[in-house]
Amino acid sequence: MREKRLKVTAPSARIKELATLVRDELGFDHPSAVCGVDWIAKDEIEIIYFVSSVSRTGYQDFVVALAERIPRGNPVAPSLIDVWTGVEYHEREGQEMLGVNFEGNPYKGHFLLPEDWNDMPPLRKDYVSPGR
Amino acid sequence: MAIQTEYDPDSDRIMAVAFGPQHPGAGHFRIKLWLDGDYLVRSEPDPGYIHRGEEKMSEYRNYIQNVPHLERPVILDSSNILFPYALAVDELMGNKVPDRGQYLRVIMSEINRIISHMYFIAIEGLFTGHTTLITWCMGDRDFWIDLASRIGGARVTFAYIIPGGVRNDMPEGLTEKALKTCDWFEKRMDEYEKIFFNNPLVLARMEKVGVLSSEDAIRLGAVGTVLRASGVKSDLRKDEPYSHYDDFDFDVSSLDGGDSWSRAYVALLEMRQSVRIIRQAFKNIPPGPVRLKLGPQPRVPAGEVYARAEAARGEMSFYLVSDGSPRPYRLKIGSPSFKNMRVLPHLLRNVHVADIPIIYWSLNYWPLEADR
């Protein structure tokens, strides 16, 4: 990634600790996006939290990406709602689109997908869109 | 009888009501409401009625084929959703976009911002019962659409900002027309202030309604007009100047009120700044080519990039992962409406039912953009 973008990959068990540090010590108080990537060849799902800072002067152009990689077969990750409240809906999206179970995020229904969706999570690489 | 402010699902006083998705004000969006008489105790947004799987679709198309469908989530603001996508692809490919292309990107982006904000304050006028404002704004907005169509060739979906620059140059002799539109529009904005924003009836309906503090705005991840109306001076055009935005003289508009009126008025202040930028851009636009020749299937090297741009509704971000193949491996759209959605249940509680449309629309929420 380019200048002013920092990506840190941490083990899933310590992501919350790192996130608290990034928020409190570095001043990255503003959640920007949460993205999940299905690395099917490596049998992993990568979850990335993008956070920026609106309060810390001189760091408004900086984005920190906190990443964790979890096994594809058992995708469980801790929720970071307690650190950044704003990630709540982003995590809901990750839960239904990639099948990640965010422990601590109470919502387990369908958010963007239809209520009766019973296929696999559609942003997984082995899901093929109808007609393709 | 005391009004119940805490949600108790077992209480027989509480009635669950759906606002939308067929409600004329809600758009393709539903808000679940829990009411105690005329009093709203809890709400929960229910998006997804127009989820089209833009992110999955982009994995089946190459980097140029992705351009037209990616602007569909927010056709009001179509240049600004393509802007960060073009920035992301340019960054991965190492494209050096020509100066004239950068200026045209800025011009189109600012015209689109005005088109989008005009729609926003028009509907805010409708929801406050001020029908003059909606007719004025919808009519005046057409002059900007006309200007944009002279450059982009269509009225709403231009597919104008593309990787490597812009699709085509603007026609000759447009500068005079654009500057005339700017002069005329500044006078019109003075009239909007008189007839709507300083109108005592409008103030009574919108002031101190749906107040969002700056701490909450940051904590909940609000962006754009919502964040700036809560007193946070955050604008990517200043904070992270892309496409020569640092060449232009403009201010970041922010207000301290945090209420529905501030969120609408900050859009008007932003349009004034947009007019300033458009005027400078048309006067100083350098000659030369407007885009790089990338071909129909450009080769994008493997890598990842997180690009952001200030769209009309706030920070629009694209996370792009390329594995070196002709199509994106993963494309994540971080749309401002989705980010601002978390503010909705925070504001839509402990208010009266009549305030729901005013608060809801003051967030400038666009359901298609949130659902993608």
Side-chain angles (χ1 to χ4, degrees), chain A residues 44-82:
Chain A
E44 281 175 333
I45 286 180
E46 186 181 23
I47 303 161
I48 313 161
Y49 291 84
F50 295 96
V51 285
S52 57
S53 177
V54 295
S55 313
R56 188 171 170 189
T57 317
Y59 280 79
Q60 280 96 340
D61 55 349
F62 213 99
V63 176
V64 173
L66 286 180
E68 59 187 310
R69 282 174 179 258
I70 53 176
R72 216 168 162 270
N74 180 28
V76 182
S79 166
L80 296 187
I81 293 183
D82 301 340

Side-chain angles (χ1 to χ4, degrees), chain A residues 30 35 39 58 65 89 92 97 99 103 105 118:
Chain A
H30 192 249
C35 178
W39 295 102
Y89 292 176
R92 287 186 188 183
M97 294 295 175
E103 279 187 330
N105 190 328
N118 56 7

